[in-house]
Amino acid sequence: MSITIFWIAIFIVFYSYLGYPMVIFVLSRYFPYQTKRRGSAAAVEEPEVAIVVAAYNEAQWIRKKMDNLLSLDYPSDKLEIIWVIDGSSDQSRSLLDSYSQVIVLDAGRREGKTAALNTAYAKAKSPILVFTDANCLLNANALREIVRHFEDQTIGCVSGEKRIAFDITDDVASKGESLYWKYESKLKEWDYRYYSAVGAAGELFAVRKELYTIQPIDTILDDFMISMRIAQNGYRIAYTPLAYAVESGSLNMAEEQKRKVRIAAGGIQAVFRLKKLFNPFRYGKLTFLYCSHRVLRWTIAPVALILLLVSNLIIVLGERSLNNMFSIILFVQMLIYLCALIGYLKSRMGNSVHRVFYVPYYFLFMNLNVFLSIPYLMTRTKTTGWEKSRRKD
């Protein structure tokens, strides 16, 4: 029994983090989605675009964000800028009122980010909605690159790339998050080449307004659910690294944990709400991508990690004749956990952490937060206020 559990667990862990990337790389290279070639961005007239920024108490970012938005390479007469400040108690309203180009929406009370996006959708007049966070900056050509993808009528959503700015002196929170997003971005790129990206990042993504679906206000991962509802309705999600949003990493691991627990809880919530996507006879490639890229990591893989270690220990301690191969695998596992422990201790002491230690630390940290997200999700009420994780300035 232990051997059966061991092999199932090792397959799930390997496939979730290494096997699937190998598979989707091959599929994207040799079996890419065939679509009509798009023309150049200059060959078509730019559509009107609404940029939506949902924010709560982000006064410190408003001037920098507005300078960034107003400097984008896109016709100003075709640009709506909508801020939903969600009952902010700081100087957000007065700062935004100084910009004549901005539409400011505020219900006067905190309703949550999902409600804010729903409000902006109802107000926007443009056929393309571009969502971005207040605390990140976009590259100058981001909008042109995004709208170019909508020339393909199979595309209903476009996801830009999320980049984490950090330097060598930053701690594990920034370095780990940056490395994770490089890994995640490459998977999105391959997913899209094969068929469709699986979800979009809230820092920068766009949708056709006609395809936007109102989400329940208790939705945790609004960006993921909005984009995946579009994919569920038969459209593809494009991914482009040429349109990107840059933000700082989390202030520390405590703040990063708040973020990871929320994301993991949102992932589990999404698995239940998108249960129809488990039908491969209806959704085909999308089911394969969704289960391989998201569902395994949000549900089964963290459990498999524990079962892998426990079953490996039982086998080594109880089946002497099998000790050779299984002992090596157990040694590798223990070495990974030891490196993660060293990374944790060095991080707690404020020391610089080498990649050899912070990669296993951050990997196990992510999986641990899946378990911590369960009580978070079960005890979470339908409160509408969002919980922000503090980031470096």
Side-chain angles (χ1 to χ4, degrees):
M1 183 65 176
S2 296
I3 295 177
T4 301
I5 293 173
F6 171 86
W7 286 117
I8 292 174
I10 199 169
F11 171 78
I12 291 172
V13 172
F14 176 81
Y15 180 76
S16 298
Y17 298 103
L18 294 175
Y20 174 67
M22 295 176 185
V23 170
I24 196 59
F25 168 74
V26 172
L27 291 174
S28 67
R29 182 165 184 173
Y30 296 105
F31 305 96
Y33 185 86
Q34 299 298 320
T35 186
K36 293 181 180 179
R37 185 176 179 180
R38 296 187 304 266
S40 66
V44 296
E45 184 178 356
E46 298 92 344
E48 293 183 349
V49 169
I51 299 179
V52 175
V53 184
Y56 173 72
N57 284 353
E58 296 283 10
Q60 62 177 328
W61 281 98
I62 285 177
R63 293 198 185 281
K64 187 179 292 187
K65 183 69 174 183
M66 283 303 303
D67 288 345
N68 176 239
L69 295 182
L70 295 175
S71 69
L72 296 177
D73 180 20
Y74 206 79
S76 59
D77 61 330
K78 294 188 176 182
L79 203 59
E80 287 183 274
I81 301 178
I82 302 173
W83 282 72
V84 188
I85 56 175
D86 196 43
S88 293
S89 57
D90 60 3
Q91 301 302 310
S92 294
R93 185 66 190 240
S94 60
L95 287 170
L96 288 168
D97 283 342
S98 65
Y99 295 92
S100 59
Q101 310 94 323
V102 174
I103 299 171
V104 183
L105 305 177
D106 184 14
R109 62 185 182 277
R110 294 187 70 182
E111 296 185 320
K113 187 175 182 181
T114 303
L117 299 184
N118 290 340
T119 299
Y121 154 75
K123 181 68 176 179
K125 300 177 181 178
S126 303
I128 303 295
L129 307 180
V130 177
F131 300 100
T132 180
D133 287 346
N135 63 346
C136 63
L137 303 179
L138 313 183
N139 63 305
N141 202 43
L143 294 186
R144 289 191 183 276
E145 176 61 26
I146 284 172
V147 300
R148 186 172 69 87
H149 283 271
F150 286 114
E151 295 171 33
D152 183 343
Q153 294 304 307
T154 69
I155 300 298
C157 172
V158 180
S159 174
E161 182 169 284
K162 175 179 176 176
R163 300 183 181 181
I164 303 298
F166 76 95
D167 57 49
I168 196 65
T169 61
D170 280 352
D171 62 11
V172 173
S174 295
K175 292 178 179 177
E177 187 182 0
S178 177
L179 187 63
Y180 167 78
W181 276 105
K182 289 178 181 178
Y183 167 84
E184 182 66 22
S185 295
K186 187 55 66 174
L187 288 183
K188 286 185 176 183
E189 179 182 335
W190 295 335
D191 287 346
Y192 170 51
R193 284 184 189 173
Y194 176 59
Y195 176 64
S196 171
V198 185
E203 287 75 13
L204 177 60
F205 76 105
V207 303
R208 298 183 191 273
K209 185 184 178 185
E210 64 192 83
L211 301 180
Y212 183 98
T213 54
I214 298 293
Q215 298 299 311
I217 63 171
D218 66 339
T219 301
I220 301 174
L221 295 185
D222 46 85
D223 46 7
F224 184 78
M225 288 299 301
I226 290 169
S227 57
M228 288 304 290
R229 288 299 188 194
I230 290 174
Q232 187 177 11
N233 288 330
Y235 293 85
R236 298 163 60 227
I237 302 171
Y239 168 78
T240 173
L242 299 180
Y244 56 86
V246 181
E247 69 176 346
S248 301
S250 297
L251 184 62
N252 51 47
M253 288 301 282
E255 293 298 315
E256 180 69 352
Q257 183 171 47
K258 285 167 53 178
R259 199 178 68 84
K260 284 296 186 185
V261 167
R262 181 182 62 81
I263 290 173
I268 295 172
Q269 182 189 66
V271 167
F272 285 99
R273 294 187 177 183
L274 294 171
K275 56 183 178 293
K276 289 183 179 180
L277 288 181
F278 291 131
N279 183 353
F281 300 103
R282 180 174 181 181
Y283 296 103
K285 291 181 179 179
L286 184 61
T287 296
F288 162 69
L289 295 169
Y290 173 57
C291 292
S292 298
H293 190 161
R294 298 295 187 182
V295 176
L296 285 178
R297 276 199 263 159
W298 282 340
T299 57
I300 303 174
V303 177
L305 268 175
I306 295 175
L307 293 177
L308 177 59
L309 179 61
V310 173
S311 61
N312 202 173
L313 276 168
I314 293 173
I315 292 168
V316 170
L317 294 176
E319 308 255 354
R320 300 294 181 184
S321 61
L322 299 174
N323 274 0
N324 190 19
M325 178 184 63
F326 289 99
S327 293
I328 293 173
I329 296 175
L330 180 61
F331 174 77
V332 172
Q333 286 197 78
M334 298 307 294
L335 185 60
I336 291 172
Y337 282 99
L338 176 61
C339 288
L341 177 60
I342 294 172
Y344 166 74
L345 294 174
K346 289 174 72 69
S347 176
R348 286 294 299 268
M349 292 185 291
N351 296 334
S352 177
V353 184
H354 192 275
R355 181 175 293 193
V356 170
F357 303 116
Y358 78 69
V359 170
Y361 170 33
Y362 195 83
F363 172 75
L364 294 175
F365 167 80
M366 288 194 307
N367 281 277
L368 172 63
N369 285 318
V370 172
F371 295 101
L372 297 178
S373 72
I374 296 173
Y376 171 92
L377 186 60
M378 292 179 65
T379 59
R380 184 176 182 269
T381 63
K382 290 187 180 291
T383 179
T384 54
W386 46 28
E387 298 175 67
K388 297 193 302 179
S389 296
R390 292 179 297 166
R391 291 187 173 272
K392 295 179 181 294
D393 295 329

